[in-house]
Amino acid sequence: MPLLVVILLSGCGSRQDIIGSKGTAMVSGNQTQINTSNTNVTPPTVNSFENADSGYSLASLNIKLPLNWKIDKSNKAMYFFLDTSEQNRGWIYYQNYDVNFGFQQIRPNHASLVKQEKIDIPLGHCSLYTMDADNGTAASGITGTHYDYYAIISIKDKVIYTIEFSLNDKEPETKSQFIKILKDLSIK
């Protein structure tokens, strides 16, 4: 199943290199194109959100972010989480429910799985993945790693939300902050 996030996460660059500081996704027919100041990626045909139940679109979600953070809603397919400095700290994407969908379909190439866990949230079944990711590309010369967190929330026969979050650190508070965002998600 072709996915926008597979394209986003499968490159060699960091999240910042791939989607820029804000990043947007534009939809035309059943092609999705990511446009940022740094890249222009067109994945294979993607109809993942076009047929999804509109009651579960991103516009239907209540998303509570930390104080003074913003949500870039310039695209209906993917919202970006911007901190107080307008730095991209994550995104949320949705698609039709697929019983065969799994993390292996979006898992980034250049990161290793640290932990996989199930967490209870009011919105639905949630799988949380902690990935140890490089701080920079091999060509950048930046060394070290940080944690990227991914959540897959499945609402049976309705929708799958995929969410990524990182503050480019390994602090336990960052994971706690992400879990709070997940637990606060609700349908309007």
Side-chain angles (χ1 to χ4, degrees):
M1 171 165 75
L3 292 174
L4 169 65
V5 286
V6 171
I7 299 301
L8 284 173
L9 299 174
S10 63
C12 293
S14 67
R15 172 170 34 103
Q16 195 69 22
D17 293 336
I18 295 167
I19 61 175
S21 64
K22 292 184 185 176
T24 58
M26 295 189 327
V27 179
S28 173
N30 50 349
Q31 289 286 316
T32 301
Q33 186 168 0
I34 302 302
N35 288 315
T36 70
S37 58
N38 298 330
T39 190
N40 189 7
V41 178
T42 303
T45 301
V46 176
N47 65 358
S48 58
F49 59 87
E50 292 171 350
N51 299 320
D53 183 326
S54 63
Y56 291 91
S57 70
L58 295 182
S60 300
L61 276 179
N62 285 316
I63 304 170
K64 295 180 185 175
L65 295 178
L67 186 63
N68 297 321
W69 282 32
K70 299 175 187 173
I71 301 174
D72 177 352
K73 297 180 179 182
S74 60
N75 184 273
K76 67 179 183 178
M78 180 180 270
Y79 289 174
F80 294 89
F81 307 147
L82 308 177
D83 68 12
T84 56
S85 301
E86 304 248 342
Q87 291 291 312
N88 178 23
R89 296 304 180 182
W91 47 260
I92 184 168
Y93 171 86
Y94 82 110
Q95 67 184 54
N96 289 332
Y97 180 80
D98 179 355
V99 71
N100 296 314
F101 180 79
F103 185 62
Q104 68 279 4
Q105 293 173 279
I106 65 159
R107 184 179 173 159
N109 287 349
H110 301 287
S112 55
L113 182 63
V114 173
K115 188 173 187 178
Q116 174 183 350
E117 55 197 301
K118 307 283 186 205
I119 60 171
D120 292 323
I121 64 170
L123 194 57
H125 173 74
C126 182
S127 297
L128 178 63
Y129 302 86
T130 303
M131 302 296 292
D132 194 15
D134 291 334
N135 285 339
T137 63
S140 74
I142 300 171
T143 60
T145 63
H146 65 276
Y147 288 152
D148 283 339
Y149 301 98
Y150 294 86
I152 308 224
I153 303 168
S154 299
I155 301 176
K156 188 174 182 175
D157 298 327
K158 299 291 182 190
V159 70
I160 295 175
Y161 297 105
T162 303
I163 308 166
E164 188 265 355
F165 186 81
S166 181
L167 297 182
N168 297 329
D169 63 22
K170 291 187 173 183
E171 300 299 323
E173 295 83 15
T174 301
K175 181 178 179 181
S176 296
Q177 188 175 36
F178 184 45
I179 290 172
K180 179 169 179 15
I181 291 168
L182 295 172
K183 288 186 174 190
D184 285 344
L185 286 172
S186 63
I187 301 294
K188 292 179 184 176

